[in-house]
């Protein structure tokens, strides 16, 4: 078996993996959980095989989809690695699947062999070889690449006991832990069942009838968005004041009790607006991040029945907050579930690709901080009172108003200019001079001179 080396970025020190058994043991520490029903690809770089980007996808149920899936995951991992870490020198493939009824691990391995071959061909077409392909099932692993039955027997090789390998020691030293199985993590984000689901679906029906027409109407969309954000802020503050005393499923039940049925229905429908969802993504750090993550988990569980696809928005927000707070395992699980519901959900696709490639979320955090500051500044500016212009009082003429209160612009334009005498042809014509009285003392009536514009008196 070719020697490989582990990811130095995850553990702070380079760990050499010498065989297939150590590669199989490393998988939960690479992902942060034990994957089940998963196809996992890990990019390998350099002569010593440094781990790079990784990608996890649920194994398609129909073998008819395997060829297409293989080409897509291979292209996604290779292209993403080239954009950030360079072309991979190889790829490690994992196929993880629990046995079905009347099936053992060997049968699972044989059933998935065509899928492993499709992935190897797809990676080879991109000039990136698959260095090892492992099937992990029922506590054992098999190699699709090693023909030596002395190290890779037909019945498979038992996995190492947890916590007994070099990878486990390095993870413990780095303070990393495995969260459990993928199934356990997905259960925290799965929809409610039973009577609670029926009640919630009825509330979602009412909320959709009330809000969807307003969201589609441009005149009321902004109002619905503001109400949704205010409602989410209230829920986050409530979660901050009532932290759960335990973790896991018990904490989820606590959060479900804090969130009302009608309230959650309104939030789920309101988050379908992309602009509202982007504003909600700003709660991604500090004290509000933990409460926001609890809220998004709870809302994802409320997307029941016909509204299951509505969970793409809260699942993506949960994945974003988890990734922003350096919880990559939960981020991958939440984003993976969002893409299962809606493969074309662009925000989830971008976040999933960035998370799997090991990028730093600080760039997106900075953009959201700037947008939040800009929006708050605009809101404060709009709330400031506008000074009213004084109106001249009717009880006194405008000339008697206080200086500067009437026509300041005109005063500024005429200041310092000499007064012009009216032109004789403009305005009203000058009145004719009266004839002097006669010298004999009599007053003689002089006929009035009619000008061109004087009206003729009618008899």
């Amino acid at each position: 078996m070719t020697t490989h080396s582990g990811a130095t970025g995850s553990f702070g020190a380079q760990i050499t993996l010498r065989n297939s058994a150590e590669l199989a043991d490393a998988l939960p520490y690479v992902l942060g959980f034990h994957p089940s029903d998963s196809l996992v690809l890990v990019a390998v770089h350099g002569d010593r095989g440094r781990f790079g980007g990784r990608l996890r996808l649920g194994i398609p149920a129909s073998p008819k989809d395997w060829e297409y899936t293989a080409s897509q995951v291979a292209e996604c991992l290779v292209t993403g690695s080239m954009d950030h870490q360079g072309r991979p020198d190889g790829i490690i493939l994992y196929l993880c699947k629990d046995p079905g009824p009347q099936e053992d691990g060997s049968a699972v391995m044989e059933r998935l062999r065509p899928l492993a071959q499709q992935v190897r061909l797809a990676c080879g077409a991109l000039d990136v070889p698959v260095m090892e392909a492992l099937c992990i099932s029922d506590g054992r692993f098999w190699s699709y690449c090693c023909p030596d039955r002395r190290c890779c027997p037909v019945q498979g090789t038992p996995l190492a006991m947890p916590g007994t390998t070099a990878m486990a020691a390095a993870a413990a030293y780095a303070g990393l832990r495995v969260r459990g199985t993928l199934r356990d993590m997905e259960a925290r984000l799965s929809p409610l069942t039973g009577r609670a689901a029926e009640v919630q679906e009825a509330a979602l029906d009412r909320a959709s009838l009330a809000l969807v027409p307003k969201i589609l109407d441009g005149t009321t969309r902004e109002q619905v968005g503001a109400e949704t954000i205010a409602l989410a802020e209230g829920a986050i503050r409530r979660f901050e004041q009532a932290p759960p005393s335990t973790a896991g499923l018990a904490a989820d039940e606590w959060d479900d009790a804090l969130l009302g049925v009608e309230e959650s229905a309104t939030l789920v429908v309101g988050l379908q607006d992309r602009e509202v969802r982007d504003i909600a993504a700003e709660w991604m750090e500090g004290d509000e991040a933990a409460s926001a993550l609890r809220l998004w988990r709870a809302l994802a569980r409320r997307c029941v029945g016909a509204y299951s696809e509505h969970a793409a928005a809260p699942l993506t927000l949960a994945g974003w907050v988890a990734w922003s707070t350096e919880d990559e395992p939960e981020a991958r699980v939440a984003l993976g579930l969002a893409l299962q519901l809606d493969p074309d959900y662009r925000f989830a696709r971008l976040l999933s690709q960035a998370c799997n490639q090991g990028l730093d979320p600080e760039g997106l955090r900075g953009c959201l901080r700037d947008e939040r500051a800009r929006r708050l500044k605009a809101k404060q500016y709009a709330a400031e009172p506008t000074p009213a212009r004084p109106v001249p009082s009717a009880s006194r003429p405008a000339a008697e108003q206080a200086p500067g209160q009437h026509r300041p612009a005109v005063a500024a334009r005429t200041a310092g200019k000499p007064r012009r005498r009216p032109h004789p042809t403009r305005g009203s014509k000058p009145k004719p001079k009266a004839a002097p009285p006669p010298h004999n003392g009599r007053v003689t009536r002089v006929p009035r001179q009619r000008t061109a514009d004087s009206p003729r008196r009618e008899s």
Side-chain angles (χ1 to χ4, degrees):
M1 177 62 198
T2 305
T3 301
H4 305 285
S5 59
T8 59
S10 300
F11 301 98
Q14 195 172 60
I15 305 299
T16 301
L17 307 178
R18 296 175 292 273
N19 50 48
S20 300
E22 294 185 355
L23 279 175
D25 174 71
L27 180 58
Y29 302 100
V30 172
L31 295 180
F33 55 89
H34 293 278
S36 56
D37 191 22
S38 299
L39 184 159
V40 181
L41 295 180
V42 180
V44 178
H45 298 268
D47 296 336
R48 296 184 58 81
R50 175 178 52 85
F51 281 2
R54 64 218 66 179
L55 184 151
R56 190 206 69 84
L57 185 70
I59 296 177
S62 175
K64 297 179 180 180
D65 300 328
W66 288 356
E67 181 178 0
Y68 174 78
T69 300
S71 62
Q72 291 297 307
V73 296
E75 182 179 0
C76 181
L77 182 63
V78 172
T79 303
S81 298
M82 290 175 62
D83 292 340
H84 303 284
Q85 297 174 310
R87 174 179 289 274
D89 295 293
I91 288 177
I92 306 297
L93 166 65
Y94 297 89
L95 295 177
C96 307
K97 183 75 174 179
D98 294 334
Q102 300 179 353
E103 191 179 35
D104 60 7
S106 296
V108 173
M109 184 271 295
E110 290 297 338
R111 180 159 57 87
L112 296 180
R113 186 183 291 275
L115 176 57
Q117 184 64 16
Q118 292 288 351
V119 175
R120 295 177 70 182
L121 292 174
C123 294
L126 299 174
D127 296 328
V128 181
V130 173
M131 304 174 67
E132 180 61 288
L134 299 176
C135 176
I136 301 177
S137 179
D138 198 20
R140 293 174 174 267
F141 73 89
W142 291 260
S143 173
Y144 291 113
C145 297
C146 181
D148 191 346
R149 298 307 178 191
R150 293 173 298 178
C151 63
C152 299
V154 177
Q155 67 274 18
T157 304
L159 294 170
M161 292 293 294
T164 61
T165 62
M167 182 65 79
Y173 178 79
L176 303 177
R177 64 185 180 90
V178 178
R179 297 296 187 85
T181 66
L182 174 62
R183 189 175 295 105
D184 295 336
M185 299 183 68
E186 290 180 343
R188 303 192 64 184
L189 302 169
S190 300
L192 300 175
T193 58
R195 177 59 181 167
E198 296 177 1
V199 174
Q200 187 63 61
E201 187 170 9
L204 287 167
D205 288 338
R206 293 189 293 271
S208 296
L209 290 174
L211 298 180
V212 170
K214 294 182 179 180
I215 295 175
L216 297 178
D217 187 355
T219 60
T220 54
R221 177 183 177 185
E222 185 175 351
Q223 176 186 356
V224 174
E227 293 173 353
T228 302
I229 293 299
L231 196 62
E233 287 179 338
I236 289 177
R237 301 296 173 259
R238 192 184 317 139
F239 283 1
E240 288 178 350
Q241 298 172 2
S245 57
T246 57
L249 296 177
D252 296 337
E253 294 177 357
W254 173 266
D255 292 341
D256 288 336
L258 294 174
L259 198 61
V261 175
E262 301 294 338
E263 177 186 24
S264 58
T266 301
L267 287 171
V268 166
V269 176
L271 286 175
Q272 304 311 304
D273 189 326
R274 180 183 60 83
E275 294 182 3
V276 176
R277 181 211 62 196
D278 292 346
I279 294 176
E282 297 171 0
W283 300 313
M284 73 320 188
E285 57 187 349
D287 296 336
E288 62 187 8
S291 297
L293 180 57
R294 292 165 58 192
L295 175 61
W296 307 142
R297 285 200 205 108
L299 292 180
R301 295 191 293 269
R302 302 300 182 103
C303 298
V304 298
Y307 299 90
S308 59
E309 292 186 359
H310 283 52
L315 284 172
T316 302
L317 290 172
W320 159 239
V321 176
W323 183 41
S324 178
T325 55
E326 301 181 354
D327 188 353
E328 292 188 6
E330 180 162 0
R332 294 193 186 96
V333 171
L335 295 173
L337 290 176
L339 291 175
Q340 288 182 21
L341 294 172
D342 187 355
D344 297 326
Y345 202 73
R346 183 172 178 80
F347 192 28
R349 290 177 58 187
L350 295 175
L351 291 176
S352 179
Q353 183 178 5
C355 182
N356 288 327
Q357 292 171 0
L359 302 183
D360 189 352
E362 180 55 31
L364 181 55
R365 281 200 298 253
C367 293
L368 290 175
R369 291 192 203 102
D370 294 342
E371 180 62 22
R372 187 177 190 178
R374 183 201 62 78
R375 195 181 67 260
L376 293 177
K377 184 177 181 180
K379 185 177 180 180
Q380 293 174 357
Y381 179 80
E384 292 179 357
T386 302
R389 295 184 60 181
V391 180
S393 175
S395 60
R396 55 177 180 169
E400 298 179 4
Q401 302 292 325
Q405 291 187 356
H406 62 283
R407 300 181 60 86
V410 175
R413 290 196 302 266
T414 59
K417 294 183 179 182
R419 294 178 60 87
R420 299 177 59 183
R421 300 185 63 180
H423 194 274
T425 61
R426 297 175 184 174
S428 58
K429 292 186 177 183
K431 296 181 179 180
K433 296 182 179 180
H439 296 282
N440 55 7
R442 292 184 176 182
V443 178
T444 306
R445 184 178 300 275
V446 180
R448 181 183 179 184
Q449 298 180 3
R450 187 174 60 85
T451 60
D453 56 349
S454 300
R456 180 183 299 271
R457 185 174 182 182
E458 300 291 339
S459 58

